[in-house]
Amino acid sequence: MAHGPRVRRSAVVCVAAAGLLVLEGTLPSALGQEGRRRRPAAEQGPIALTPEQVAQLTKVANDRKLNVDDLLSAAKTFMPSGRHDEYVLFSSGGQSGQVFAIGVPSMRLLRSIAVFTPESWQGYGFAGEEDPVRRSLEINGKPVEWGDTHHPALSETGGDYDGQYLFIGDKANARLAVIDLRDWETKQIVKNPLTISDHGAAFVTPNTEYVIEGGQYATVLGYGYAPPEEYKQHYRGMVTMWKFDREKGRVDVSNSFALELPPYWQDLADAGKGASDGYFFVNSFNVEMAVGGVEKGNPPFEAGASKRDMDYLHIVDWRKAEAAFKAGKTKSINGFPVIMLETSTAEGILHFAPEPKSPHGVDVTPDGRYMVVAGKLDPHVTVYSIEKIKKAIAEKRFSTRDEYGVPVLDFDAVKEVQVELGLGPLHTQFDNQGFAYTSLFLDSAVARWSLGPEHASKHREQPWKLVAKTPVHYNIGHLCAAEGDTVSPDGGYLVSMSKWSVDRFLPTGPLLPQNFQLLDISGGGSAMPVIYDSPIGVGEPHYCQMIKADKLRTWTVYPQVGWNPHTQSLDPRAPRKGQEGVTRNGSDVTVNMTAIRSHFFPEHVEVNEGDRVTWRLVALETTMDATHGFCIGGYNINLSLEPGEFVEFTFTADRPGTYPFYCTEFCSALHLEMMGYLHIKPRAGAEGAPAASDTATASAK
Ligand code: CUA
């Protein structure tokens, strides 16, 4: 991807009447220096090392104890200053509640995107008492200001990433968030009305018609109660289909619905595509319906839930489900429409196929013809054929029905093949050479194996066969190849999300970072080396997706000055230059303020104790990266004012005093001077200055 050199503009220096330097609409100084210009990849010609350079390189390698593989790995991952990465890895941030964006192959952290956890740098959740972020994080009236982000899902068109939106699920609280990839900010959070926690979000259908959220631990749907003795009668699983309105960039809750499922523990999902378009697949464990109870001498969940050899792959015909929803064949649970099990069974919406054994991932091949299921306690992956599944459904080749009347397809009728890979297979991704890659948790390895005979001309191996294994450090969970879960995977890179790093990095106390290991999968056969170790010292990242960077259409400044990122439109409330000031209506005060290097306007804001203050702030900047912050100490206010951004916040001025506010971003040479005072005058008749007497008391302690 070619990037032209950055456009340079000469600095326009205005000397304001007050003698302050105001640098408006300029880039940081000294861009004229050649050394600071971005160096596009296109400018780099072929190199030939001189004997002196070879000697230099050899000396560095010997001094640092590097071998030739190390040098090659360094050359494959090093990004010269200003060169951009080829891919962006969007990773769940685990218990941090965030999403991390990481460049590949450099593995440099580009940004953490605040989602379920307030984050002060981004001003996310620190915009006063009516902050829409804080309100969207409430569950049943309680603030739930963290999340366990699990599965990011990029929006797709025709089964391929389109770079428009990113969805991310919160396992702990069964929530789904929508991130707009124009400004990389969270726009919406929806809470599942049926279940408190989940696991299988988010997965999208090939044109992002729906975002699928699978459940996990069965409960009484709609946040109900029943004792564990009534597990089979009253506990249920579910899968929710959130309708996505691409035009609005929001989940359309009123056109979303769920399916009631038996109280197995539904797990990951994947949408069919190509040959399997119109279906989605969810696997499950604990079809034993174990209820645990070690404290009563019962077998623990881990034993009870893994007794049987087979669990059930759930096969859902989502177009039929959509038709049933539109025909009103639903029951309202906690105000949300649910297709009940008897309807799913009667309408042919839901079928099961046996799957061995305590499965975790189900992953659809790029052509959509096969579903790969990895059973944690089975050394094989089991490959199902959609052609065979459709035939078995049409011919009603059921081996049995489960306790809830769901037809179970005959295993041998739907199975294509089983491929032995090793211990603890979890998840599978694909490349452009006809290979599949499966993570092996117990083996701590990535297995490369060949897909069926139709890919033989590409992979040049026997079909359905283990080809190579690369050890990873350690305990790999998910893995992610470049666009490796789309209709057209890119190959080249694969990231192993290794859960333990043990001795890979300097120890950081008893809590150690996790390890994202980058593998070069561009070669065939057994060549699949680890080329970079990247410590992740925040949360426990769970799953990630890797998109070609040139598919993203990221804004670097907001389209207009006065832009409201919540509505993605120009906000009529945004003050314009020349409209600044403070107005009062009774005890309601409105502050209209602008920010530009290096001052706020106005600089003094005077209100009375008890006033209700609505503060509107707009960044007049239109220059890339000219971000300002705005904080008021003691009032829990901190904003990020990106170029053009408008923010409104409200608070009650309930504590009198003198409050300096200042810009929290080092935006210019006179950044420290970018400040002002909020004066909150004590109520008439109140004694003295409370702030001063409090200070005296505090220092006397
Ligand atoms: Cu604006 Cu610092």
Side-chain angles (χ1 to χ4, degrees), residues 595-600 621 626-630 662-668 670-675:
I596 193 162
R597 280 163 290 167
S598 303
H599 64 270
F600 295 107
E621 303 282 358
T627 293
H628 300 288
F630 175 88
Y662 69 91
C663 171
T664 48
E665 289 276 333
F666 208 135
C667 57
S668 65
L670 297 174
H671 148 78
L672 282 182
E673 289 78 355
M674 189 167 178
M675 64 81 65

Side-chain angles (χ1 to χ4, degrees), residues 169-170 173-176 190-193 195 197-203 211-215 238-242 267 269:
D170 166 18
N173 306 293
R175 290 185 284 193
L176 176 74
V190 289
K191 168 74 193 100
N192 195 297
T195 182
S197 67
D198 71 1
H199 182 207
F203 298 90
V211 186
I212 300 160
E213 177 191 4
M238 68 94 216
V239 61
T240 298
M241 298 193 63
W242 295 107
D267 204 10

